[in-house]
Amino acid sequence: MNIKTKGLLAALLFAAGQLSAQQSDKEKPDFQPHLEHRIMAGFNFGATAPVGLPNTIRKINSYWPEFSPSLGYELGYRITPKWGAAVGVKLDYKGMGTKDQVLYFPTIITTEDGGTFAGDFSGKNQTTVRNAYVVFPLSATFTPNNKWRFNLGGYAAWLFSSNFYGTVSDGYIRNGGPTGGKVVIDHATFDFGTDVRKFDIGLQGGALRKVGNKLEVMGNLNWGLRPVFASEFKGLDFPLYNIYLTLGVAYKI
């Protein structure tokens, strides 16, 4: 075989290889925008709390999470291999309990004999929160690989069940304000459930980690931007916000 023949054969083999590679690339399916469906379930951990502890709360003696499940559905749309958007609807219970020591804490209480006092209380306080919302989250999503997906966006929520109540004890209240008459309080109650706002908005963001063919674990932080009580509410003198972390699982349908 002469040199010209060898050269021609090498050129033909190279061309055949290039054609085969191009054909193989054509056979690989290109990314197509598509919808993704997920069912999500988990629990909320956090607090309906101020951002920064006010000086009227002198000591937190204990805190506990209430039973706060979260169940929802998410519709996602993958626009590119990495970027997309998602919208969902979920049922969120948000609750917690706390015991603390307060000093000149503005509030409204009811004693066991039916007396009502509005003023500054000093003593022990116990508060329980159990609120339930229908939540509509909206997110931008980023999927860097086939294991992780990150999301960031906001949410709107409507309250359909509210409980915000507690007790005060072992102290006294200055009826009418800091200079009002001193009334000793052995035990009294408060109930502000009907004063909780019906609408909440906030920011939310988190991540999904694939652990099976369709199963994922998730974590999502929800941070309310609207105070739970209106500014004219007199039972507290500082704003409270819903700040909760959802931990759970997602199943990709």
Side-chain angles (χ1 to χ4, degrees):
M1 186 179 294
N2 58 34
I3 295 176
K4 289 184 178 181
T5 303
K6 289 181 179 179
L8 180 61
L9 182 59
L12 289 173
L13 289 173
F14 177 78
Q18 289 293 100
L19 183 62
S20 176
Q22 291 176 8
Q23 185 65 27
S24 177
D25 288 341
K26 288 180 181 179
E27 290 174 357
K28 292 180 181 178
D30 294 328
F31 173 83
Q32 295 293 329
H34 60 275
L35 295 174
E36 296 178 343
H37 305 267
R38 288 178 172 86
I39 295 174
M40 299 177 164
F43 291 94
N44 289 316
F45 302 91
T48 301
V51 178
L53 201 64
N55 59 12
T56 53
I57 299 178
R58 292 308 175 100
K59 182 182 179 182
I60 303 293
N61 295 319
S62 63
Y63 159 86
W64 62 92
E66 289 288 314
F67 179 68
S68 302
S70 175
L71 180 64
Y73 163 78
E74 181 192 83
L75 174 64
Y77 184 63
R78 288 280 292 277
I79 303 169
T80 73
K82 291 187 176 182
W83 292 97
V87 63
V89 58
K90 61 180 181 175
L91 175 62
D92 254 355
Y93 286 85
K94 297 178 177 180
M96 59 98 193
T98 183
K99 292 181 180 180
D100 48 43
Q101 196 79 24
V102 299
L103 181 66
Y104 297 121
F105 185 86
T107 191
I108 304 169
I109 61 174
T110 302
T111 58
E112 294 177 343
D113 61 3
T116 299
F117 298 92
D120 294 353
F121 175 78
S122 297
K124 295 180 181 178
N125 171 71
Q126 178 174 327
T127 301
T128 300
V129 179
R130 296 192 191 103
N131 293 327
Y133 295 86
V134 177
V135 184
F136 298 91
L138 178 64
S139 305
T141 63
F142 176 66
T143 308
N145 52 52
N146 63 356
K147 290 291 185 183
W148 287 94
R149 193 201 75 171
F150 301 92
N151 66 280
L152 182 64
Y155 73 84
W158 280 265
L159 179 80
F160 71 88
S161 176
S162 62
N163 290 276
F164 193 110
Y165 61 90
T167 62
V168 295
S169 61
D170 303 323
Y172 62 91
I173 190 168
R174 292 285 185 181
N175 192 23
T179 61
K182 182 177 179 181
V183 180
V184 175
I185 301 296
D186 294 323
H187 183 272
T189 62
F190 59 88
D191 189 344
F192 304 144
T194 57
D195 297 296
V196 176
R197 274 177 160 161
K198 300 298 182 182
F199 177 68
D200 186 28
I201 57 171
L203 301 175
Q204 55 87 23
L208 291 169
R209 174 66 160 83
K210 189 174 180 180
V211 294
N213 186 33
K214 293 188 175 183
L215 188 65
E216 300 159 318
V217 294
M218 68 170 184
N220 209 70
L221 178 64
N222 305 272
W223 193 295
L225 298 177
R226 194 175 193 224
V228 170
F229 296 107
S231 58
E232 62 269 17
F233 177 64
K234 302 302 182 183
L236 296 170
D237 69 338
F238 52 85
L240 298 177
Y241 302 91
N242 286 319
I243 306 171
Y244 288 86
L245 174 67
T246 307
L247 298 177
V249 296
Y251 184 79
K252 194 173 180 181
I253 303 174

